[in-house]
Amino acid sequence: MKVLVTGGLGYIGSHTVVELQNEGHVVVIIDDLSNSSKDVLKGITKITGVTPQFEELDLKEKYKVQDFFKRHQDIDGVIHFAASKAVGESVDKPLFYYENNVTTLIYVLQELQKLKCQNFIFSSSCTVYGEADKLPISENSPIKPAESPYGNTKQIGEEILKDSCQINLDLKTIALRYFNPTGAHNSSHIGELPQGVPQNLVPYITQTAVGLREQLSVFGNDYDTKDGTCIRDYIHVTDVAKAHVCALNRLFKNQQSHNFEVFNIGTGKGSSVLEVIQSFERVSDQKLNYKIVDRRQGDVISAFADTTKANTILGWESKYSLDNAMLDAWNWEQKIRNK
Ligand code: UFG
């Protein structure tokens, strides 16, 4: 099948392209290179032996999007990653986030609805659950008011899909709500390339260990958790990527019970910040320089997934452990710094 991957040179996008190509799909990537690099194509080629088609395109340019879809009417499915994802930045630049994440989604859907095959996978996030009342978090957990414009764009994105599916039964969509994707491809040919100072825990850890940052700040150790630090569900990015292939197969095989479905993508296991640090220290065989500081505003205390729905309906389950993810993240960090 021919699959369009928007944002296909980004972190989760590039790993998904690898898994799609491993399954024999023909991939076309659109990316505006705002948070990625053309070098990622080389990494994908090294792993799979196939160079995907690539067009540099900013999805905000509506007429270019229209032109792209006119030239690619034989697309069988779209996986839509292209979006901005920095929570803090979204607070400072809300209009940019709404334009970049919501307007572009609308443009892509408008063109998709002109095609024969209208299969669509949306990158959503566990952020839609906020501080959930019950753990592990199932897909039935209520959606909480968004903590940031970024989080709001994910909620709005899901609403747009739901409303569009109601009126257009040819449109078949799945939203995947990721928990905390981490790690890198185990070949170290592709991985995360955070711009500037990382906001996320794992790249901050690996950059500290490699000497790029002086010290990791652990945001709070007085939460009501096993060791006082926040709990998250860290999932290997290759597992996340494979979930997209399973979701797409469900659409291709017409297996949906409703044309808008959501699935949690996590491991089902919650790890504290200190456990992540311990895992890193174990696999890298070194001590990490860290200190405990005040809580970070907006952090939920605990979030980990109930993955029963994805396991049973998508036939997908996570395979990699936290140690696997930390080792792959560490190998990747060392590779890019020693280039
Ligand atoms: N943390 C630190 N120090 C750091 C960075 C993070 O202690 O330097 C802690 C955070 O306080 C949190 C945990 O590590 O307890 C994980 O933080 P991340 O920033 O890596 O991940 P979040 O769970 O906060 O954010 C992720 C995604 C967002 C998404 C959000 C939904 O990065 O895109 O989950 O909850 F919106």
Side-chain angles (χ1 to χ4, degrees):
M1 296 288 191
K2 182 169 168 181
V3 184
L4 167 63
V5 182
T6 75
L9 295 184
Y11 176 42
I12 306 176
S14 58
H15 290 79
T16 302
V17 170
V18 164
E19 298 308 320
L20 288 167
Q21 294 197 156
N22 283 343
E23 293 284 315
H25 295 294
V26 175
V27 175
V28 186
I29 295 175
I30 292 179
D31 201 298
D32 67 357
L33 301 178
S34 61
N35 193 19
S36 57
S37 145
K38 260 192 195 166
D39 283 347
V40 176
L41 279 174
K42 292 185 197 147
I44 294 171
T45 308
K46 276 190 191 145
I47 298 168
T48 63
V50 180
T51 308
Q53 275 186 59
F54 166 65
E55 280 196 31
E56 186 175 343
L57 199 155
D58 181 347
L59 293 174
K60 293 195 289 299
E61 298 193 61
K62 184 174 183 163
Y63 296 103
K64 291 194 179 163
V65 178
Q66 289 175 336
D67 171 65
F68 174 88
F69 275 90
K70 265 190 206 130
R71 288 184 283 112
H72 293 273
Q73 295 190 20
D74 56 344
I75 284 170
D76 297 295
V78 176
I79 306 184
H80 182 56
F81 291 104
S84 298
K85 60 173 185 180
V87 176
E89 184 189 45
S90 78
V91 176
D92 295 334
K93 300 182 189 170
L95 295 182
F96 174 76
Y97 267 69
Y98 288 115
E99 182 184 27
N100 212 33
N101 294 7
V102 179
T103 309
T104 57
L105 170 65
I106 294 170
Y107 291 167
V108 171
L109 287 174
Q110 282 171 337
E111 297 314 304
L112 179 70
Q113 297 201 57
K114 297 176 189 164
L115 301 187
K116 200 162 134 258
C117 297
Q118 300 178 20
N119 298 311
F120 189 83
I121 311 279
F122 179 63
S123 289
S124 189
S125 166
C126 68
T127 195
V128 301
Y129 300 120
E131 188 76 67
D133 306 327
K134 223 177 107 205
L135 293 164
I137 304 173
S138 85
E139 289 82 353
N140 297 326
S141 186
I143 304 292
K144 297 278 173 71
E147 287 277 349
S148 68
Y150 161 77
N152 211 15
T153 66
K154 294 299 171 190
Q155 297 194 4
I156 293 170
E158 289 196 10
E159 292 295 329
I160 288 172
L161 290 182
K162 213 190 306 170
D163 291 344
S164 305
C165 282
Q166 209 149 38
I167 200 74
N168 175 6
L169 297 180
D170 292 329
L171 180 62
K172 291 185 278 170
T173 69
I174 290 179
L176 297 179
R177 292 176 179 162
Y178 317 140
F179 280 67
N180 290 56
T182 188
H185 195 269
N186 64 10
S187 65
S188 297
H189 289 314
I190 55 172
E192 193 169 4
L193 291 166
Q195 280 187 339
V197 182
Q199 304 302 306
N200 294 120
L201 178 63
V202 175
Y204 208 105
I205 289 177
T206 55
Q207 287 197 7
T208 304
V210 89
L212 218 60
R213 312 276 155 219
E214 207 184 310
Q215 190 175 48
L216 169 79
S217 296
V218 172
F219 299 132
N221 70 345
D222 56 353
Y223 287 100
D224 184 15
T225 60
K226 47 190 161 187
D227 59 23
T229 63
C230 291
I231 308 281
R232 295 286 183 279
D233 186 338
Y234 297 90
I235 176 162
H236 196 294
V237 65
T238 295
D239 278 330
V240 177
K242 285 177 193 280
H244 292 79
V245 180
C246 293
L248 203 58
N249 283 337
R250 179 169 172 80
L251 298 183
F252 287 155
K253 290 182 189 160
N254 258 316
Q255 290 173 328
Q256 282 190 301
S257 52
H258 188 275
N259 63 340
F260 171 72
E261 293 177 320
V262 298
F263 293 94
N264 284 344
I265 302 301
T267 64
K269 190 173 176 292
S271 304
S272 72
V273 177
L274 293 180
E275 284 173 335
V276 175
I277 294 172
Q278 284 154 14
S279 167
F280 174 79
E281 291 183 335
R282 203 161 39 237
V283 300
S284 67
D285 202 20
Q286 63 171 284
K287 285 279 163 212
L288 186 79
N289 182 15
Y290 73 90
K291 67 168 178 213
I292 309 289
V293 300
D294 286 347
R295 293 178 175 197
R296 180 171 74 177
Q297 212 202 329
D299 269 341
V300 300
I301 303 168
S302 285
F304 53 98
D306 178 341
T307 60
T308 314
K309 191 176 172 194
N311 299 156
T312 53
I313 296 180
L314 290 182
W316 166 89
E317 60 183 32
S318 64
K319 296 224 158 44
Y320 294 98
S321 66
L322 178 61
D323 280 8
N324 294 148
M326 296 308 287
L327 180 60
D328 289 338
W330 178 227
N331 286 338
W332 167 248
E333 184 71 61
Q334 292 177 93
K335 184 185 164 189
I336 53 175
R337 300 306 157 197
N338 294 331
K339 253 187 188 167

